[in-house]
Amino acid sequence: MDGVTVINHPLVQHKLTIMRKKETSTAGFRRLLREISTLLCYEVTRDLELTMETIETPLKEIQAPVLEGKKLVFASILRAGNGLLEGMLDLVPSARVAHIGVYRDHETLEAIEYYFKAPEDVSNRLIIVVDPMLATGNSSIASIEKLKERGARNIRFLCLLAAPEGLRNFQAAHPDVPIYTASIDSHLNEQGYIVPGLGDAGDRMYGTK
Ligand code: URA
């Protein structure tokens, strides 16, 4: 599918299978999410631009590569996005963080915004928006609309699982935003859950059900 990268690294797929299992504990789920998010972060940042810098090793002065441009922004869609955030920050500790609160109205499945906090200057930074589940796409579409209103132009979206319905909605709304996911699952059920999925990601990582 154009604009969608499925990250099929064996370690990602193995960890995802354990996360899907209903008997995986809250602690286990959270630990795996942190581990898998590091691997996903590695893939979503694979093509970042480098620039050369002069440094001195204990032996010699050399030109060595460093990341070019302004610090990245990781934008977490609350609350489940925070589960992906920690592993990503392990890998890129200097990244800036945005938090976006949108919840799904269970009747209409529409996204309602209740919180938005992002760094001031998002216009010349790469923003990686994270949410483990791309289900209907409503919350990610709304979150990215808010970021674009603040001037964000260079955006990528990272999730763990995506439903075909959500991918279609998302790409219709934001064709300029590449999507990275560990799996495209079968479909959404009437309650808006991804099937086979892994259940409610927020509940599984925080033990709220
Ligand atoms: N959000 C979740 O946490 N799980 C789903 O299956 C769909 C949306």
Side-chain angles (χ1 to χ4, degrees), residues 1-6 134 157 162-164 166-181 184:
M1 197 184 263
D2 254 15
V4 182
T5 302
V6 178
L134 178 61
F157 180 76
L167 286 173
R168 276 196 293 277
N169 292 340
F170 186 103
Q171 290 197 308
H174 299 296
D176 56 314
V177 178
I179 300 168
Y180 295 77
T181 184
I184 302 175

Side-chain angles (χ1 to χ4, degrees), residues 80 104 133 135 188 192-195 197-202:
R104 214 154 35 131
M133 311 298 272
L188 283 184
Y193 280 94
I194 297 176
V195 182
L198 48 73
D200 186 303

Side-chain angles (χ1 to χ4, degrees), residues 2-93:
D2 254 15
V4 182
T5 302
V6 178
I7 301 166
N8 49 19
H9 190 289
L11 283 173
V12 169
Q13 294 303 317
H14 179 82
K15 289 175 193 296
L16 177 57
T17 297
I18 305 172
M19 294 178 76
R20 287 185 190 272
K21 291 183 184 179
K22 63 179 181 194
E23 65 270 23
T24 297
S25 68
T26 300
F29 189 92
R30 209 182 295 152
R31 196 198 64 241
L32 284 157
L33 187 57
R34 189 174 185 134
E35 291 170 1
I36 212 170
S37 57
T38 311
L39 299 167
L40 299 177
C41 182
Y42 181 82
E43 291 292 340
V44 76
T45 55
R46 177 179 279 285
D47 62 348
L48 292 189
E49 302 261 325
L50 293 170
T51 186
M52 299 309 265
E53 186 178 284
T54 308
I55 61 158
E56 275 183 55
T57 76
L59 301 180
K60 191 178 182 319
E61 185 179 287
I62 54 161
Q63 294 283 303
V66 289
L67 289 176
E68 186 178 54
K70 292 203 135 204
K71 304 263 184 301
L72 301 183
V73 176
F74 297 148
S76 166
I77 302 180
L78 300 173
R79 74 183 155 146
N82 280 4
L84 285 175
L85 206 51
E86 289 174 23
M88 295 179 70
L89 286 170
D90 286 344
L91 210 59
V92 191

Side-chain angles (χ1 to χ4, degrees), residues 79-80 104 131-136 139 161 163 185 187-189 191-205:
R79 74 183 155 146
R104 214 154 35 131
D131 189 352
M133 311 298 272
L134 178 61
T136 60
S139 40
L161 299 185
D185 274 15
H187 64 279
L188 283 184
N189 69 13
Q191 287 79 43
Y193 280 94
I194 297 176
V195 182
L198 48 73
D200 186 303
D203 283 341
R204 294 210 58 192
M205 77 178 74

